[in-house]
């Protein structure tokens, strides 16, 4: 007799967890949105001014990255942006179309090499697995800076004195964790020049006013948010865990890089993101704020909205320009 699997957890459209541990990430939402989660193959030739390459970064590890190289003739060394994708620690990959569409554009407009890590996913790999992968990638960049390893694009064109961390949604949480860890270690000859959390998933067990009052969006519902975090955080943890609730943590003595915190006016978690911003200012950390007006969580990842809604298109342009300006000035 064949035993029937039983569903023990489900995040509508995105993920189904079964009692035997199997996790199905087949997209089951509206078919017109599926293309945003389709993988884009790497291409070593320049397409719209950017080439991409996937590689394993350690011979003894399955950890991979995607590298985006902009076509910038006679430019000298280029800043490096280390990217951590979102997905509530449970879904998405570095090669998804939504990230490809965004980070080819950022590589082109900022004139920077983007390195995006294929992070391990929960619930199979609960936190801190994704943070470990992210930090391992930073250490790989340090080895490249120190000529211990070689990657043609980065070794010849990368400026390891200007390395920036960037992350979408839960990837923004990872940015902060990696920046804190890096501040406690010597990464010479690599220098972290900045950290850019975009709409980080900062919240606590008690719901904020914005969680109660802001509209849900295709990229973030409360059900999605709370279920992903329950599956992603270390077992037994609540949303008050420091990874998701860094507000109030002790940062004295940590030499953090300058931050550009990107928030969206209609984001469900904007209240707790702003609490983090005020805390960073209060303890004397360098932090700038980039506010996107009239849009919600991760709005800039939706090509459909960018194409059909002038407001989303305008705010996406402002976001990319603001990030590019921050990179040019640090």
């Amino acid at each position: 007799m064949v035993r029937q699997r039983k569903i023990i957890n489900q995040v509508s459209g995105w993920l189904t967890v079964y009692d035997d541990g199997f996790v199905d990430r087949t997209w089951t939402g509206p078919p017109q949105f599926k293309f945003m989660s389709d993988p884009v193959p790497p291409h070593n030739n320049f397409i719209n001014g950017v080439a991409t390459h996937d590689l394993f970064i350690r011979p003894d590890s399955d950890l991979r990255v995607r590298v985006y190289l902009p076509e910038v003739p006679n430019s000298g060394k280029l800043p490096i942006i280390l990217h951590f994708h979102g997905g509530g620690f449970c879904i998405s990959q570095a090669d998804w179309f939504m990230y490809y569409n965004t980070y080819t554009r950022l590589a082109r407009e900022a004139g920077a090499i983007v390195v995006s890590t294929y992070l391990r996913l929960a619930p199979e790999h609960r936190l801190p697995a994704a943070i470990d992968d992210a930090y391992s990638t930073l250490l790989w960049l340090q080895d490249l800076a120190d000529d211990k390893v070689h990657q043609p694009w980065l070794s010849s064109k990368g400026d390891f004195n200007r390395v920036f961390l960037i992350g979408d949604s839960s990837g923004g949480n990872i940015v902060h964790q990696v920046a804190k860890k890096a501040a406690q270690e010597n990464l010479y000859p690599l220098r972290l020049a900045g950290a850019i959390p975009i709409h980080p998933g900062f919240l606590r067990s008690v719901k904020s006013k914005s969680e109660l009052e802001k509209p849900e969006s295709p990229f973030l519902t409360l059900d999605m948010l709370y279920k992903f975090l329950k599956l992603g955080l270390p077992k037994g943890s609540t949303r008050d865990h420091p990874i998701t609730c860094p507000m109030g943590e002790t940062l004295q003595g940590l030499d953090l890089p300058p931050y550009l915190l990107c928030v969206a006016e209609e984001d469900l978690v904007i209240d707790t993101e702003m609490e983090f911003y005020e805390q960073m200012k209060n303890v004397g950390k360098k932090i700038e704020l980039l506010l996107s007006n009239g849009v919600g969580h991760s709005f800039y990842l939706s090509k459909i909205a960018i194409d059909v809604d002038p407001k989303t298109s305008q705010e996406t342009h402002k976001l990319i320009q603001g990030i590019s300006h921050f990179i040019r000035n640090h």
Side-chain angles (χ1 to χ4, degrees):
M1 181 178 174
V2 177
R3 179 179 176 274
Q4 287 287 330
R5 283 176 173 153
K6 291 183 179 178
I7 295 174
I8 60 172
N9 214 326
Q10 195 166 34
V11 181
S12 180
W14 292 106
L15 172 147
T16 304
V17 183
Y18 293 88
D19 59 351
D20 63 355
F22 179 71
V23 180
D24 186 359
R25 293 183 174 85
T26 304
W27 171 249
T28 58
Q32 65 267 31
F33 296 116
K34 181 184 179 298
F35 78 95
M36 292 197 296
S37 63
D38 286 342
V40 178
H43 48 85
N44 285 315
N45 57 312
F46 289 102
I47 298 176
N48 295 324
V50 180
T52 60
H53 178 62
D54 285 1
L55 69 148
F56 292 95
I57 66 172
R58 302 286 186 195
D60 57 346
S61 166
D62 292 331
L63 186 57
R64 290 187 300 148
V65 298
R66 168 157 292 191
V67 183
Y68 297 80
L69 177 69
E71 191 173 22
V72 185
N74 305 317
S75 62
K77 297 288 187 177
L78 304 176
I80 298 167
I81 304 172
L82 177 54
H83 168 245
F84 311 127
H85 63 72
F89 310 111
C90 294
I91 60 166
S92 83
Q93 293 287 349
D95 61 359
W96 276 19
F97 176 82
M98 67 172 71
Y99 300 116
Y100 175 85
N101 187 56
T102 301
Y103 285 92
T104 49
R105 179 173 178 178
L106 182 60
R108 193 167 52 241
E109 296 194 22
I113 301 173
V114 177
V115 177
S116 184
T117 307
Y118 286 84
L119 302 168
R120 282 176 291 171
L121 302 176
E124 303 96 320
H125 305 283
R126 287 178 175 265
L127 292 167
I131 297 167
D132 293 342
D133 290 345
Y135 198 74
S136 291
T137 311
L138 182 63
L139 293 180
W140 175 69
L141 290 178
Q142 181 191 22
D143 284 348
L144 283 167
D146 207 18
D147 293 324
K148 292 179 179 177
V149 293
H150 182 81
Q151 197 284 325
W153 292 354
L154 287 158
S155 297
S156 64
K157 296 182 180 297
D159 183 353
F160 294 95
N161 198 46
R162 296 177 64 213
V163 176
F164 297 82
L165 306 175
I166 195 169
D168 321 279
S169 191
S170 57
N173 299 56
I174 295 173
V175 163
H176 184 54
Q177 296 301 314
V178 170
K180 286 195 303 177
K181 187 172 176 61
Q184 300 172 66
E185 300 190 19
N186 179 12
L187 294 178
Y188 182 84
L190 180 146
R191 183 180 75 93
L192 266 190
I196 310 168
I198 309 176
H199 311 168
F202 294 157
L203 69 169
R204 51 168 54 89
S205 292
V206 177
K207 292 180 182 177
S208 65
K209 189 170 182 284
S210 58
E211 285 172 73
L212 294 170
E213 296 181 0
K214 294 291 184 181
E216 296 184 325
S217 74
F219 278 108
L220 192 67
T221 67
L222 292 179
D223 178 70
M224 183 192 307
L225 178 62
Y226 301 153
K227 283 183 177 178
F228 277 157
L229 294 185
K230 188 173 182 180
L231 291 168
L233 286 167
K235 279 193 173 180
S237 300
T238 70
R239 297 195 295 272
D240 296 318
H241 191 283
I243 294 173
T244 45
C245 186
M247 299 78 71
E249 66 184 344
T250 301
L251 297 172
Q252 279 83 2
L254 282 182
D255 186 19
L256 293 173
Y259 273 53
L260 176 66
L261 176 64
C262 304
V263 301
E265 184 181 18
E266 298 303 315
D267 197 335
L268 290 170
V269 292
I270 189 172
D271 284 358
T272 30
E273 290 170 340
M274 290 304 299
E275 188 180 339
F276 172 80
Y277 171 72
E278 293 298 336
Q279 171 207 307
M280 289 279 282
K281 282 204 308 181
N282 290 340
V283 296
K285 303 304 177 187
K286 295 177 182 176
I287 184 165
E288 301 172 36
L289 187 70
L290 198 167
L291 172 65
S292 298
N293 294 300
V295 285
H297 192 81
S298 296
F299 67 92
Y300 59 95
L301 294 177
S302 174
K303 186 177 188 300
I304 294 174
I306 292 169
D307 287 347
V308 303
D309 177 39
K311 179 64 173 174
T312 301
S313 178
Q314 178 189 36
E315 291 299 325
T316 299
H317 174 74
K318 286 167 57 179
L319 177 67
I320 297 292
Q321 289 298 107
I323 293 170
S324 300
H325 179 79
F326 179 80
I327 290 169
R328 282 193 294 271
N329 285 284
H330 288 85

